[in-house]
Amino acid sequence: MSKPVIAIVGRPNVGKSTLFNKLIGERRAIVEDVPGITRDRIYGETEWCGKTMIVIDTGGIEPKTDDIILKKMREQAQIAIDTADVILFMCDIKTGLVADDLDIAVMLKKSRKPVIPVVNKVDKVGDVPPEFYEFYELGFDTDPIAVSSTHGSGTGDLLDEVIRVLPEFENEEGEDDVISVAVIGKPNAGKSSLINKILGDDRLIVSNIAGTTRDAIDSRFENEFGKYNFIDTAGLRRQSKVEDRIEKFSVLRAKMAVERADVCLLVIDGNEGITEQDEKIAGIAHEAGKATIICVNKWDLVEKDNNTVKQYTKKVYDALSYMTYAPLLFISAETGQRVQKLFEHINYVHNQTNMRISTGMLNDVLADAVNRVQPPSDKGKRLKIYYMTQTAVAPPTFVMFCNNAELFHFSYQRYIENHLRQTFGFKGTPIRIIIRQKGDSED
């Protein structure tokens, strides 16, 4: 289930970052009493009434400005607005309703998204001053809500209203047999070209539906291999090398697409090789526990000799040392080279990440692993592993019970993981191991 997205927008210095920090429960945004201090969107998560939501903090919007930085901040805010399911429009009761607020309101109404006017810096939320009511002039369907982002008062009412206006997430019929595939990667790696090649060749059923809850494009596709929903995270292009802020947003876009996916295709530009941004995006899929296939695109343009594939593979896995489980495929979205092989890989890693192993079989493998390499010891106390069991799939998650969790060094966890992979495969999927300590009466 995907998470709804809440964007906080408004003029500079109305308290957006302070509210953001209050909602996510940590001081992640920089808060200074200087207009324009938040130039990047920063995102975090909050939970209310059992629903987890992504919250985006934005730089202040200056509707009419020629200042290059302020114009870029406005563009950033617009991207957040396009991505959001609900928009929190923050105003400042100390300055009152100003012309820029009215201009921003016009901009927000064009988005056709639910907008909640948030009047900040109200000292007594339960007893609002008369000037609070002038914010009704903004003309939104939702009444303004008074808050004090510094003290946190009124934020409960605000989140109640967010839950109330959140659009319903569509659940498509037959979703159980559809594999959702997020195509992720940095701008210009060829994500859209890959999807266009997939949809344009031998397609049986295709429908392009603009995502109801975010600006990625969902494309339903069916062929002899199965039913798929490809999530295209493209559409954002780097304008110049200086545009680091815009480039960072592709990471947020990828994060939201990954959360909705069963399988991720990490598309790397074969001409450029693996970059730091590729590593960041790969890390998102890994941390989310998603099955992943690494696609080196534009392979037709790469000059090759007998060692090229071997050398390139080593470079990729050296950079993504935590993701050596992911199969690597050299493709060309332009020519279609090996694109059809993707479906077999997608089905395979999807099955691998949903594989469930019986407790009896797991403990036979665990006993074999322990016999081969004895668990570590420290100061005469040796680690004892009692048993393990699988508690979840996608990703495969295992709980191991032992006498002393501190003795269960990361290196031995990695050894157990490798032994599981050698025995069962788990190709293409991360594995999670949870250590639980249990009393040992013998010690």
Side-chain angles (χ1 to χ4, degrees):
M1 178 65 72
S2 54
K3 298 173 185 175
V5 179
I6 316 301
I8 307 173
V9 302
R11 291 184 290 113
N13 207 32
V14 294
K16 297 184 298 298
S17 294
T18 307
L19 177 63
F20 171 82
N21 288 337
K22 189 66 67 174
L23 292 180
I24 70 168
E26 58 183 282
R27 189 180 172 86
R28 187 177 301 181
I30 301 170
V31 180
E32 296 287 349
D33 192 21
V34 179
I37 196 71
T38 306
R39 294 179 179 174
D40 299 345
R41 272 162 327 287
I42 307 174
Y43 65 92
E45 291 186 355
T46 189
E47 184 175 339
W48 192 254
C49 295
K51 185 180 289 290
T52 302
M53 298 169 280
I54 296 171
V55 185
I56 307 176
D57 184 25
T58 66
I61 302 174
E62 293 274 11
K64 299 173 182 176
T65 181
D66 293 325
D67 182 280
I68 187 66
I69 295 296
L70 292 175
K71 286 178 70 175
K72 293 303 177 187
M73 289 163 62
R74 184 175 62 205
E75 290 174 12
Q76 294 281 285
Q78 183 63 59
I79 294 170
I81 290 165
D82 293 342
T83 307
D85 300 302
V86 175
I87 300 163
L88 306 184
F89 175 24
M90 287 198 73
C91 304
D92 184 347
I93 200 165
K94 303 296 185 187
T95 60
L97 186 66
V98 299
D100 279 353
D101 291 326
L102 295 170
D103 290 340
I104 293 170
V106 172
M107 173 182 172
L108 295 179
K109 287 173 184 173
K110 291 178 181 177
S111 74
R112 300 185 180 276
K113 304 284 182 71
V115 178
I116 303 174
V118 183
V119 184
N120 192 26
K121 306 180 185 178
V122 178
D123 295 330
K124 296 182 179 179
V125 171
D127 184 20
V128 296
E131 52 266 33
F132 169 81
Y133 295 97
E134 69 182 22
F135 290 93
Y136 279 84
E137 291 181 31
L138 292 169
F140 290 103
D141 294 336
T142 304
D143 292 341
I145 292 182
V147 303
S148 170
S149 57
T150 300
H151 301 106
S153 53
T155 54
D157 291 339
L158 175 59
L159 290 170
D160 283 343
E161 189 64 14
V162 169
I163 296 295
R164 189 187 71 81
V165 303
L166 263 178
E168 291 293 326
F169 283 64
E170 294 184 2
N171 288 318
E172 300 176 17
E173 292 184 10
E175 198 174 44
D176 288 345
D177 62 350
V178 175
I179 301 176
S180 286
V181 183
V183 184
I184 60 176
K186 66 184 181 183
N188 297 318
K191 300 185 294 295
S192 291
S193 298
L194 176 58
I195 291 182
N196 287 339
K197 176 60 68 173
I198 289 171
L199 299 182
D201 288 351
D202 303 321
R203 68 181 186 268
L204 299 176
I205 301 173
V206 176
S207 60
N208 289 330
I209 308 165
T212 55
T213 58
R214 50 207 89 253
D215 61 345
I217 300 298
D218 286 17
S219 299
R220 295 298 297 270
F221 179 84
E222 182 177 342
N223 62 9
E224 66 270 26
F225 295 99
K227 299 177 183 177
Y228 307 90
N229 179 43
F230 285 94
I231 307 168
D232 183 3
T233 61
L236 195 67
R237 293 291 178 265
R238 187 194 312 199
Q239 297 178 0
S240 74
K241 291 184 179 179
V242 182
E243 292 297 328
D244 289 337
R245 296 184 304 280
I246 289 182
E247 191 165 321
K248 284 178 184 175
F249 184 66
S250 65
V251 176
L252 172 57
R253 190 191 304 262
K255 183 178 188 294
M256 292 186 292
V258 165
E259 286 171 348
R260 300 169 55 206
D262 301 308
V263 175
C264 295
L265 301 184
L266 173 64
V267 182
I268 295 172
D269 187 328
N271 276 323
E272 291 188 18
I274 190 155
T275 66
E276 185 179 348
Q277 194 180 5
D278 292 319
E279 293 174 32
K280 289 180 181 177
I281 295 174
I284 290 171
H286 176 76
E287 291 297 324
K290 301 296 181 175
T292 302
I293 301 164
I294 303 170
C295 305
V296 180
N297 191 26
K298 307 181 185 178
W299 194 241
D300 56 314
L301 304 179
V302 176
E303 292 187 15
K304 295 176 277 291
D305 58 33
N306 291 337
N307 293 317
T308 305
V309 169
K310 184 177 180 180
Q311 292 170 351
Y312 209 107
T313 300
K314 184 178 185 304
K315 286 181 181 178
V316 170
Y317 286 139
D318 283 349
L320 304 179
S321 57
Y322 53 86
M323 199 181 258
T324 55
Y325 56 78
L328 194 150
L329 198 62
F330 296 91
I331 66 169
S332 169
E334 180 68 27
T335 68
Q337 182 183 17
R338 298 189 189 88
V339 169
Q340 281 297 303
K341 287 184 175 295
L342 278 174
F343 295 105
E344 296 176 21
H345 281 71
I346 290 168
N347 290 352
Y348 181 66
V349 301
H350 183 252
N351 288 334
Q352 291 283 293
T353 197
N354 285 285
M355 189 185 341
R356 189 175 287 278
I357 311 297
S358 71
T359 299
M361 192 177 296
L362 278 175
N363 285 284
D364 287 344
V365 172
L366 175 63
D368 180 62
V370 170
N371 286 332
R372 288 170 182 263
V373 178
Q374 288 295 305
S377 61
D378 184 42
K379 297 177 182 177
K381 191 175 182 67
R382 181 170 294 279
L383 172 68
K384 292 183 180 180
I385 307 173
Y386 298 117
Y387 67 96
M388 69 184 300
T389 186
Q390 185 174 358
T391 57
V393 296
T397 303
F398 304 93
V399 176
M400 302 183 69
F401 293 87
C402 67
N403 62 330
N404 190 328
E406 291 183 0
L407 292 175
F408 213 132
H409 301 154
F410 174 77
S411 59
Y412 201 72
Q413 287 186 46
R414 178 57 58 88
Y415 164 69
I416 296 294
E417 177 183 331
N418 289 338
H419 203 73
L420 288 171
R421 290 188 184 280
Q422 290 168 10
T423 307
F424 301 112
F426 293 119
K427 185 71 173 175
T429 180
I431 289 175
R432 288 182 177 161
I433 294 178
I434 300 167
I435 307 302
R436 292 277 185 266
Q437 185 168 308
K438 190 175 180 182
D440 188 348
S441 59
E442 296 177 5
D443 289 343

